[in-house]
Amino acid sequence: MNSIRPIVDTRDGRVHGRVVDGVYAFLGVPYAAPPFGADRLNPPRRPDSWSGVREATAFGAEVPQLKPDNPHWAALLLAAFGGAPDNVTVFGESAGAMSVGTLLGMPGSDGLFRRAIAQSGAAHQATPATTALRIGRYFAEKLGVAATHEAVAAVATDRFLSAQAELKADLLAQPDPERWGAETVASTLLWQPVVDGDVIPDRPLARIAAGSAAHVDLLVGSNTEEWRLFLVVSGLIGQITEQILTGPVSVFGSMSLAAYGLPVDTALAAYRARYPEASPGDLLAAVQTDWWCRIPAIRLADAHVGPGAATYMYEFGWPSTAFDGLLGACHALEVAFVFDILGKQSEPLLGPEPPQLLADTMHAAWISFASTGDCGWPRYDLTRRTTMCFNTTSHIATDPRAAERALWDGIR
């Protein structure tokens, strides 16, 4: 590979990348044919080959549909770019972490990666087929077409996307669990992986508990105050009242504690005991943090533990100083530390002068895990539940979230 003009031969043709800060970058390399025309809403098809050298120096257009064959494509091309196909780590945050959790339970991904990292997302978010069919019918009605694959695929992309937004607005305006399904109302996510019995044979967490990812090392964790990001930035944290918090789901939707499955009185008593100075908005953020991220991370680690591959757990607790310190250790805050990119446009979320030592520590741990499968702290097991707590001064804790884990037992 020429370091000045890096060119790589792939199975579909030659690509020309660039070097950025000593790192080779190949961007916009097609992993499937464009999903339009006959390929619209169909399984991905191998891209057409090309002659000459294709520029791979900028990202391509964002694809309007999920491509589940990405890991297959990556495995095929890794060797051409100097990678090791038998030492692949899949790695995601938030919805990306939920995608990782889904892959861990998919038969089609077996053997395609050696390790997985799930930050602030796990293996809970999958829609039952019956709920997906119902939402699909609502979507077809919104489009004004028959509820068939062919009819929906024939709709223009612009109308397709606007109808999705309209249906989301309907959900938020009338969050009736009888109409949408209880978990759809809680998550407000109409479009998620579907348990279809084939690509996703069962809920990913159940598949993982049965051993589907027994050969994959796992690093999973969450941030201490995940959902404050959304409530603080939107201004909702100061608008949540006791009436909203304890009100009916059919009126208040995901702002109602009842949306999350815990009995309201039980939830209020438990969270007020833990956070005695909390406002109604603070309490909602704490419940949503546990529902969305903390409990799913714990359940994923519990399901994955076994005699085979390693399991590691972390919690990120450094609080941002941005937004007058209201964010806490919120969603996505750890990303700049993991990639060691503090100061590179990270100030709006992190505030000034975040601790570089913490970035050094986390970046090294992630690199070590991806390279060797060892994070540098003891593995997680069902006896001690060892968790690395990242902060200005990081420390190892034993089962630090026992109370939350017990509270949500049998519910989440």
Side-chain angles (χ1 to χ4, degrees):
M1 187 186 300
N2 188 314
S3 62
I4 299 175
R5 179 178 167 81
I7 296 176
V8 167
D9 291 316
T10 76
R11 62 173 187 162
D12 298 312
R14 307 180 81 199
V15 291
H16 165 220
R18 58 193 176 104
V19 181
V20 182
D21 296 331
V23 177
Y24 291 99
F26 293 84
L27 310 177
V29 180
Y31 52 83
F36 302 106
D39 293 319
R40 180 77 181 283
L41 300 184
N42 278 317
R45 179 177 60 81
R46 180 173 170 173
D48 296 330
S49 59
W50 59 87
S51 59
V53 179
R54 184 187 184 110
E55 288 293 316
T57 56
F59 288 111
E62 184 175 348
V63 68
Q65 69 191 60
L66 179 64
K67 291 296 186 183
D69 276 8
N70 279 3
H72 293 269
W73 173 82
L76 287 168
L77 264 66
L78 270 175
F81 289 89
D86 60 348
N87 196 30
V88 174
T89 297
V90 292
F91 173 15
E93 186 269 345
S94 192
M98 296 171 195
S99 297
V100 168
T102 302
L103 285 171
L104 289 170
M106 288 173 53
S109 67
D110 188 45
L112 295 179
F113 48 90
R114 180 66 186 85
R115 299 184 183 95
I117 303 174
Q119 297 171 213
S120 303
H124 272 63
Q125 298 303 130
T127 301
T130 52
T131 301
L133 287 169
R134 188 190 324 161
I135 292 171
R137 287 195 296 271
Y138 299 156
F139 185 54
E141 290 171 7
K142 186 71 67 176
L143 292 171
V145 301
T148 65
H149 178 277
E150 294 75 13
V152 172
V155 175
T157 301
D158 288 348
R159 176 58 192 141
F160 195 95
L161 296 174
S162 65
Q164 286 187 322
E166 291 166 17
L167 198 63
K168 177 69 171 282
D170 291 348
L171 167 63
L172 297 178
Q174 297 181 317
D176 182 1
E178 293 296 322
R179 173 174 173 79
W180 305 99
E183 192 157 315
T184 304
V185 170
S187 70
T188 71
L189 296 178
L190 290 166
W191 322 109
Q192 296 190 116
V194 175
V195 181
D196 64 345
D198 181 18
V199 176
I200 303 176
D202 197 355
R203 284 191 170 271
L205 191 66
R207 292 266 308 160
I208 295 163
S212 66
H215 58 290
V216 178
D217 296 325
L218 173 67
L219 169 59
V220 60
S222 61
N223 298 355
T224 302
E225 295 147 316
E226 297 272 6
W227 241 243
R228 290 188 69 85
L229 172 66
F230 306 102
L231 293 176
V232 168
V233 172
S234 68
L236 276 175
I237 199 157
Q239 299 174 24
I240 303 297
T241 64
E242 195 82 5
Q243 179 186 11
I244 293 172
L245 203 61
T246 60
V249 181
S250 59
V251 176
F252 298 111
S254 62
M255 295 183 290
S256 165
L257 289 184
Y260 301 98
L262 283 173
V264 173
D265 291 343
T266 301
L268 278 177
Y271 282 90
R272 279 188 173 140
R274 185 167 181 84
Y275 308 103
E277 304 298 321
S279 69
D282 294 331
L283 292 175
L284 178 61
V287 171
Q288 290 179 325
T289 290
D290 284 348
W291 189 89
W292 274 104
C293 298
R294 184 161 14 251
I295 299 303
I298 292 171
R299 304 302 187 216
L300 175 54
D302 286 356
H304 184 261
V305 165
T311 307
Y312 292 94
M313 173 70 84
Y314 76 88
E315 181 173 325
F316 179 85
W318 180 80
S320 168
T321 59
F323 288 84
D324 298 321
L326 291 175
L327 291 173
C330 69
H331 196 62
L333 197 67
E334 87 291 355
V335 173
F337 292 88
V338 167
F339 283 102
D340 191 15
I341 54 171
L342 301 185
K344 297 183 178 180
Q345 301 181 341
S346 62
E347 291 85 355
L349 186 60
L350 275 65
E353 300 182 2
Q356 179 60 47
L357 180 59
L358 179 55
D360 294 342
T361 300
M362 295 188 71
H363 185 67
W366 263 241
I367 292 294
S368 177
F369 176 76
S371 301
T372 70
D374 187 349
C375 288
W377 64 86
R379 295 183 181 190
Y380 184 94
D381 60 40
L382 299 182
T383 301
R384 295 180 58 82
R385 291 187 162 84
T386 300
T387 302
M388 173 58 81
C389 298
F390 287 110
N391 208 319
T392 307
T393 300
S394 299
H395 68 280
I396 295 171
T398 298
D399 198 7
R401 294 296 176 175
E404 290 88 341
R405 180 168 52 81
L407 178 66
W408 287 89
D409 193 35
I411 296 169
R412 186 66 169 160

